[in-house]
Amino acid sequence: MAITRWDPFRDVLALQSRLNSLFEDFTRGQGEQDALTTAAFVPPVDIYEDEHKVVLKLEVPGIKQEELDIRVENNTLTVRGERKFEKEEKQENFHRIERRYGSFYRAFTVPSTVDTESVQASYEDGVLKIEMQKKAESKPKQIKVNVGSSPKPIEAGKSEKPAA
């Protein structure tokens, strides 16, 4: 049996944790429907790049193309939008509302290698795709390496042996 040192504050902290969870459970039931339908949400984003461009893909299903605002200012790309909760005139008996509604705002720092004049956006199947072309000077360049002091490259399969 292990000897445990008595800590009088451990019991106080456990009691505080229990009380906090009790109050959270109580307040969670109050106005939960309103909180779910009007809370702002953050759409998930994938960002990747290749040698020619940087691409962002945001999941924004249910948002009309006209309700999206995309801007590039001071090396910052901002995307704003709003998904509205449409209430119909007839009474709906919702059992659960899990989709988030409200406005969103995402901001991304644009690398200095990107040409901010060539940003293009497309919207298809609920996915907003933003493509930013890289500047020509930032694209990778192939550099040929010469072996030794000879300016001509060595051909494969041939060896340079000095004549005896």
Side-chain angles (χ1 to χ4, degrees):
M1 179 173 169
I3 298 176
T4 306
R5 186 173 185 166
W6 181 70
D7 183 9
F9 296 107
R10 181 180 7 187
D11 294 333
V12 173
L13 291 174
L15 179 63
Q16 181 182 8
S17 174
R18 288 181 188 163
L19 284 173
N20 285 342
S21 66
L22 240 174
F23 283 117
E24 286 173 6
D25 290 343
F26 176 74
T27 57
R28 192 175 301 139
Q30 309 256 335
E32 186 174 280
Q33 290 297 96
D34 294 336
L36 282 175
T37 58
T38 60
F41 69 100
V42 180
V45 64
D46 293 337
I47 303 173
Y48 63 91
E49 73 176 293
D50 60 20
E51 59 189 39
H52 302 292
K53 63 185 176 259
V54 176
V55 179
L56 287 85
K57 287 185 175 181
L58 283 91
E59 288 184 9
V60 287
I63 297 177
K64 295 178 182 164
Q65 184 175 350
E66 303 83 37
E67 294 174 353
L68 293 170
D69 181 28
I70 304 163
R71 296 174 190 233
V72 178
E73 297 177 70
N74 300 329
N75 286 344
T76 302
L77 171 73
T78 59
V79 182
R80 298 175 193 260
E82 184 176 3
R83 184 177 345 183
K84 296 177 181 165
F85 184 71
E86 292 109 15
K87 288 188 176 181
E88 295 183 14
E89 294 300 317
K90 63 181 183 172
Q91 182 65 26
E92 296 285 342
N93 291 325
F94 286 103
H95 290 277
R96 179 176 225 118
I97 298 176
E98 291 186 354
R99 297 188 317 156
R100 295 287 183 174
Y101 297 92
S103 60
F104 72 89
Y105 170 81
R106 296 293 307 257
F108 306 95
T109 302
V110 178
S112 60
T113 58
V114 169
D115 180 15
T116 57
E117 299 298 319
S118 65
V119 177
Q120 296 178 345
S122 60
Y123 185 63
E124 184 177 345
D125 296 333
V127 177
L128 174 64
K129 183 177 181 181
I130 302 171
E131 295 183 3
M132 299 178 289
Q133 298 295 323
K134 289 185 177 180
K135 294 177 182 174
E137 61 266 13
S138 68
K139 293 182 182 174
K141 296 176 182 124
Q142 181 86 24
I143 299 171
K144 191 170 185 177
V145 177
N146 293 323
V147 178
S149 62
S150 74
K152 61 179 180 176
I154 299 173
E155 294 180 28
K158 295 185 180 178
S159 63
E160 290 187 13
K161 292 184 183 176

